[in-house]
Amino acid sequence: MNAHPLITLQNVTKTFGPVTVIQDVTVSVYPGQVQVLLGENGAGKSTLIKMVAGVYQPDGGQILVDGTVTTLPTTKAAEDHGIATIHQELNLVATMSVAENVMLGRMPTKFGMVDRKELRRQARAALALIGLDVDVNLLVGDLGIAKQQLVEIAKALSINARVLILDEPTAALTRHETQALFAVMADLRSRGVGMLFISHHLDEIAEVGDTVTVIRDGHFIAEVPASTPEDELVKLMVGRSIEDQFPRRADETPAVTEVLTVTNLTSAGQFDDISFTVRAGEVLGIAGLVGAGRTELIRAIAGADKYDTGTVTVRGTKLPKGDIKAAIRAGIGHVPEDRKGQGLVLDASVNDNLGYATLASSAKLGLADFTGQRRRAEAVAKTLRIRMHTIDQPIRSLSGGNQQKAVFGRWIIAASTVLLLDEPTRGVDVGAKVEIYELMNSITAAGGAIVMVSSELPEILGMSDRILVMRDGRLAGELSAADATQDTVMTLAARDVAAQR
Amino acid sequence: MSTTTTITPTPTRRSFDYKTFLANNGALVGLVVLCIALVIATPDFLTGQNLLNIGIQVSTVAVLAFGMTFVIVAGGIDLSVGAVAALSAMASGWFFVSAGLPGWVALLGGLAVGLLAGIVNGAANAYGKLPSFIATLAMLSVARGLTLVISDGRPIKTAAEVSFLGGNLGPVPMPIVVLVVAALVASFILNRTVLGRSMYAVGGNAEAARLSGLPVKRIIVTVFALAGLFAALAGLLLAGRLDSAQPQAAAGYELDAIAAVVIGGASLSGGLGKISGTFIGALVLVVIRNGLNLLNVSSFWQQVVIGLVIALAVGADVLRRKTRNS
């Protein structure tokens, strides 16, 4: 790279109260280059990004834009320098249309009124840039999370960004959608846009990145080329080597006891005639594209939503429709897709969050069992190695991986034996991921059964004993762990969809 | 969010962190400052009679606000508590005078009316899918209207059992006794029972609570039922003091109750709040009014001051969230 960097964070330091989050880190983004920022949750990636985006000011060091020392006191100032950010959390107004969201703050006007026609035209142009085909008049809230993400990206791109910051843009995307995004990124790169990219998917780094800056505990560790082997990257990131990213230990003896049986389950418009069984000690993976009906199916089994016909049976007991409590009593534990929106009460303590599923069942005469709950929570937090200061701190203040472990912990306290996992490692760093996989192993080793929906194919392939593939609400096929490859799974998941396009 | 594990400050015991203390106990500190200022400003403040007055005045507001605390912690709002208080007292008077029921039955009947109104609020919210703001706004109008219908706009004499609530127990005014008991009961419900803990979960994230198997709808109905019951108790306290149920009693008290809860540190978005905080919030409101009265400040200006205090308290709440989340 002989060009000058578009932006450089030079020896920056950031402290919050007594805690130093970033210490003396230097990162540069060059034109036409994808700079990957790699580190575990809590390493300080988001803080770095927020300094580039004008959200935080560095306490030490300086920011150079085009070689000139610059302060970015606000996000507006950053945008004025051509720095656009796609945050981990979507910044969209669910009740406004796609077009309005894309053009928010820059709506074209005519005689002082919004020029609807021009608005739609510009929004369509922005969407076309990333090949997203949605009706710009739809409300953003009616789109799936993947499409919302793409709208957000279209919005950021439409400001003519020179520097694009992408904070885990692929976390909620399927392989297919990720590929589309990468194509857009490649196009931007050829046009000289510099990008700062964060992802927990190591395989994406070599695919899309140029150089990788590794940070750990707020310190700069190394800058390496993106072609560095994954093992090496993991080692740099966590400071030790992780032997196996997917440590699935299946039982040697094939299990016979059927724990969960789903028969002809149908919910109009969501999934159709789904039948399968899960045996004790087994991990059943459910693969498919976003929108194939996987989440809806899981929710119906968990009692979170009603379904039209069919039955769900756990160990011979038929579960009533839409009855979460009955499902829990039968041993079902549901780890929902959206940890913050559906899994946790963020302002409540770790202790409280661990105890919600057992709040009523452990109570005596309507009185909450405080001492017992604390004892159980302490024990499970220790087993799961939930990293926290105290069990009474709000769960909001834990990292994503530790939050997710707490959702698991809730069901471990409830002694659930059938776990329904929906994207169990979304937004979770490599170290915590492996811990979650180990946890799945110990659950199945103890005779539990797991159904796992995941959009991460390596995870599905690495952790499942059997794989069901869903397509358009139907079962497209079943694969054994031995037969499954990315290709066989994707062929089943996307065949018709591809044919339709 | 990914940085937050490393930045959560470890509690330091070496130095007293007055910022955190202020942020967490703003209302209490405000109350103490207020009291000291009033002691200095007027000799009439720190007298036994005035303190008893404050106690009696705070009882109605605080009892209403305890019920409101349940609702706000569970993520709702109840605009009907003032009107339900009036309706309950009026119904109790009607049971006694017109229906000729025994005094204690009239007392319990009044409480039952409040409970029922609360259940209707809760059911409209949980099952009827009406936002609690709308459901209780409707109830406000209905309850106040029914109060006027029953009474024909005239006060009704209350039973001796109800009047007893406005009297004295030895040297202590009964409203203060009721206040203390209500505070203990409310605090017990919120802190110790499954119901109370569930309220925090429902207010914090109703979907997460539901997916954990908590009966969210039933909890919401119970929460509003409790608010109705506490409102009825407040209404009976008020009637007991006057020996009569007044058709316009407790008008506008819902706003005092909400203000007390918010000053006490609860969040209107739900999931946060304490009975002790609400009690302090109610005291702040009442002591300000009492002090301004003693200082001969017009009631018009009092409203201005109360408004500023609410804004200040909510400002402190925002500040507290900011320090916690950054």
Side-chain angles (χ1 to χ4, degrees), chain A residues 304-489:
Chain A
D305 295 329
K306 290 194 169 131
Y307 47 87
D308 297 327
T309 53
T311 56
V312 176
T313 314
V314 176
R315 289 201 176 76
T317 315
K318 188 172 166 262
L319 298 186
K321 280 180 203 175
D323 188 339
I324 296 172
K325 225 172 155 183
I328 292 172
R329 220 178 296 121
I332 283 183
H334 176 204
V335 176
E337 174 185 32
D338 177 0
R339 178 169 58 243
K340 288 176 182 169
Q342 305 169 330
L344 298 169
V345 180
L346 289 171
D347 282 327
S349 67
V350 180
N351 185 20
D352 280 349
N353 272 288
L354 283 169
Y356 287 135
T358 39
L359 186 59
S361 57
S362 67
K364 290 186 191 74
L365 300 170
L367 298 188
D369 174 21
F370 276 92
T371 32
Q373 164 55 26
R374 180 168 287 271
R375 182 169 36 73
R376 290 188 290 272
E378 299 266 12
V380 83
K382 204 173 160 201
T383 319
L384 302 187
R385 284 182 285 166
I386 296 176
R387 279 178 279 278
M388 58 193 182
H389 290 296
T390 115
I391 201 146
D392 295 312
Q393 85 188 77
I395 202 148
R396 181 191 290 285
S397 59
L398 300 189
S399 72
N402 286 305
Q403 290 181 350
Q404 187 71 326
K405 283 192 263 175
V407 182
F408 272 85
R410 178 186 298 159
W411 299 118
I412 291 178
I413 292 179
S416 305
T417 51
V418 184
L419 285 193
L420 309 175
L421 314 179
D422 199 348
E423 306 288 356
T425 63
R426 174 175 289 173
V428 168
D429 63 63
V430 174
K433 258 184 195 177
V434 174
E435 286 182 298
I436 285 173
Y437 298 145
E438 292 287 1
L439 181 59
M440 289 169 62
N441 282 333
S442 65
I443 289 164
T444 51
I450 290 176
V451 179
M452 175 177 71
V453 164
S454 174
S455 297
E456 283 188 52
L457 269 183
E459 176 171 280
I460 284 273
L461 295 171
M463 287 305 296
S464 310
D465 301 323
R466 265 190 310 140
I467 297 163
L468 296 180
V469 184
M470 282 182 75
R471 181 179 67 222
D472 289 340
R474 290 175 166 274
L475 281 186
E478 178 178 336
L479 299 164
S480 69
D483 298 338
T485 63
Q486 301 227 355
D487 283 345
T488 52
V489 172

